[in-house]
Amino acid sequence: MTRQKIPAAPSIRRLPSYLHLIRQAEAEDCEFISGTLIAKELHLEPIQVRKDLAITGIVGKPKRGYPVKPLIAAIEHFLDWDNKKNAVIIGAGNLATALTGYQEFKTHGLNFVAAFDTSSEKMGKNIHGVSIYPLDELTVRTKELGATIAVLTVPSTFAQECADRIVEAGIKAIWNFTNRKLNLPDDVVCQREDLTSGYAMLCVMMGE
């Protein structure tokens, strides 16, 4: 899928919520689930749900809805969660500990294979079974472990420097948890996560 053909980001961001709800229906032995039910549970408009699910290529049946098992498979395939991806995490601090300990990633095909840091005190240790190595070994370890994703959790002042090392190591996908906008080659994709945005939304809703 080329960048020009990627659907709107909000639709993609909603799919995991749909998947969670549909898996609940599967656990309850439901054969079909309606778009109207999904919309009601997630406080969305039914037409929005139908548009979002349409990007996965699956079609619902009139008066019955979407077949649960094929719908789960369609969403997972669209998100490429049915393919295993090895990832390295740069910066073995508190956030790295939280991310490597989040078991849901494994069910979605994300496998942390190594962590990297510059602190000599962390060498030889591990976080949730993920070994920590010197940052200088990034290129060698990346090739050995077949990593295709780098998760960046370093202090923002070191973000660009580490991003440059990631690029040099041959990794083409970066999940950026710093507040620094990275300068990257055109062939490297990057998703930046702003952890304060959700908190900002919560605070505004509390003040309503």
Side-chain angles (χ1 to χ4, degrees):
M1 185 180 294
T2 64
R3 294 186 187 185
Q4 290 76 16
K5 294 181 180 179
I6 294 177
S11 293
I12 296 175
R13 287 184 179 275
R14 283 189 288 269
L15 288 179
S17 295
Y18 297 169
L19 186 59
H20 178 71
L21 192 62
I22 298 161
R23 283 197 178 281
Q24 287 182 339
E26 181 187 37
E28 296 170 2
D29 295 323
C30 297
E31 186 178 355
F32 288 87
I33 186 169
S34 71
T36 301
L37 176 62
I38 295 173
K40 181 180 179 181
E41 290 291 330
L42 298 177
H43 305 289
L44 298 169
E45 292 297 325
I47 190 171
Q48 183 64 69
V49 173
R50 289 195 294 272
K51 286 182 178 180
D52 290 344
L53 292 178
I55 66 178
T56 70
I58 196 166
V59 177
K61 295 184 178 182
K63 298 182 180 180
R64 299 199 72 183
Y66 298 90
V68 168
K69 291 185 182 298
L71 182 55
I72 290 173
I75 294 175
E76 288 186 334
H77 183 69
F78 177 81
L79 296 174
D80 203 33
W81 283 358
D82 51 357
N83 285 323
K84 182 179 176 180
K85 300 172 187 65
N86 288 342
V88 294
I89 194 159
I90 315 300
N94 292 334
L95 182 53
T97 300
L99 292 173
T100 54
Y102 185 56
Q103 295 302 309
E104 281 292 307
F105 284 142
K106 290 185 178 180
T107 66
H108 301 324
L110 183 61
N111 180 39
F112 287 108
V113 294
F116 295 88
D117 205 284
T118 56
S119 172
S120 58
E121 296 179 357
K122 297 178 181 179
M123 298 306 109
K125 298 181 180 179
N126 70 80
I127 43 178
H128 297 292
V130 179
S131 297
I132 303 172
Y133 301 100
L135 184 59
D136 289 340
E137 296 182 10
L138 177 61
T139 297
V140 173
R141 297 287 181 181
T142 293
K143 293 178 179 178
E144 288 178 352
L145 299 169
T148 57
I149 297 174
V151 181
L152 193 56
T153 64
V154 298
S156 296
T157 51
F158 302 107
Q160 186 61 55
E161 177 187 346
C162 289
D164 292 341
R165 291 192 178 217
I166 290 168
V167 172
E168 290 173 5
I171 294 177
K172 300 295 185 181
I174 299 176
W175 198 357
N176 179 17
F177 282 85
T178 78
N179 61 15
R180 177 79 177 270
K181 186 178 184 299
L182 303 174
N183 182 22
L184 300 167
D186 291 339
D187 62 343
V188 176
V189 296
C190 180
Q191 172 62 34
R192 180 169 167 246
E193 295 295 336
D194 184 356
L195 296 179
T196 60
S197 61
Y199 176 57
M201 195 68 201
L202 178 64
C203 289
V204 171
M205 290 189 294
M206 289 173 64
E208 290 182 350

